[in-house]
Amino acid sequence: MQIFIVISTLIAGITLSTQSAVNGSFSKKADTLESAFLTFITGGFILFIITLFFGHGSFLEFFHAPKWQLAAVWFGVGYLFLTIVAIPKIGVISANISAVIGQLTMGMVIDHFGWFEGLTIHFDVKRVAALIIMLIALRLIYKAEIKNSVYGAKS
């Protein structure tokens, strides 16, 4: 079962990068807000249809959820909006690796303090080293993209 979850998450990453790239390109024509709106309205409609047929009858439970949990909506909107802004300026790879570094950093903080689900995984040298390596990778990738864009090379 775990391998299925890992493969599913890998596919999710592939779709996220593709979606980011398409939205970044679309925003050059329709602008950033319009691109984000189209993504959310279309996704909302598709999820509404899927929920109608495959939902478990708990759709209205959001009225009973703690209000702070509803803030997750803003994080999704922020992520989408900021990647749409970033991709035309710094490229898909730099934008996505920056997002991954942000996810890893916040994930480490959440795990360390046991926020939200209570699972506690403390900082260690390996985790911090992995984050530093990711930052080095971002620097190298970003510098390569800048160099390629300056000299007209395709990345």
Side-chain angles (χ1 to χ4, degrees):
M1 182 64 171
Q2 286 184 339
I3 191 70
F4 175 74
I5 292 171
V6 170
I7 291 170
S8 296
T9 307
L10 180 67
I11 292 169
I14 291 168
T15 61
L16 190 59
S17 288
T18 305
Q19 184 243 359
S20 297
V22 171
N23 269 341
S25 179
F26 182 61
S27 73
K28 292 178 183 176
K29 302 238 186 287
D31 202 37
T32 304
L33 289 174
E34 289 80 357
S35 180
F37 177 75
L38 180 65
T39 297
F40 278 106
I41 198 77
T42 305
F45 179 73
I46 291 168
L47 285 173
F48 176 73
I49 298 298
I50 292 170
T51 302
L52 280 177
F53 291 102
F54 302 105
H56 297 289
S58 59
F59 185 70
L60 298 178
E61 283 301 308
F62 70 87
F63 286 116
H64 304 291
K67 301 303 179 231
W68 67 268
Q69 290 178 348
L70 301 178
V73 171
W74 295 107
F75 297 124
V77 169
Y79 170 78
L80 181 68
F81 181 80
L82 293 171
T83 55
I84 292 171
V85 169
I87 285 178
K89 294 174 177 52
I90 64 172
V92 175
I93 296 171
S94 290
N96 284 331
I97 198 167
S98 296
V100 168
I101 291 169
Q103 290 171 357
L104 291 174
T105 303
M106 195 62 203
M108 281 192 218
V109 171
I110 291 168
D111 282 350
H112 180 78
F113 292 106
W115 294 343
F116 310 121
E117 294 298 322
L119 177 66
T120 302
I121 304 171
H122 294 290
F123 293 121
D124 63 8
V125 173
K126 291 177 186 175
R127 287 174 160 237
V128 173
L131 191 57
I132 291 169
I133 291 168
M134 292 287 293
L135 288 166
I136 292 167
L138 173 60
R139 173 91 172 140
L140 294 172
I141 288 168
Y142 183 72
K143 285 188 76 135
E145 286 182 357
I146 295 299
K147 180 182 174 189
N148 287 340
S149 67
V150 168
Y151 296 111
K154 298 287 182 188
S155 52

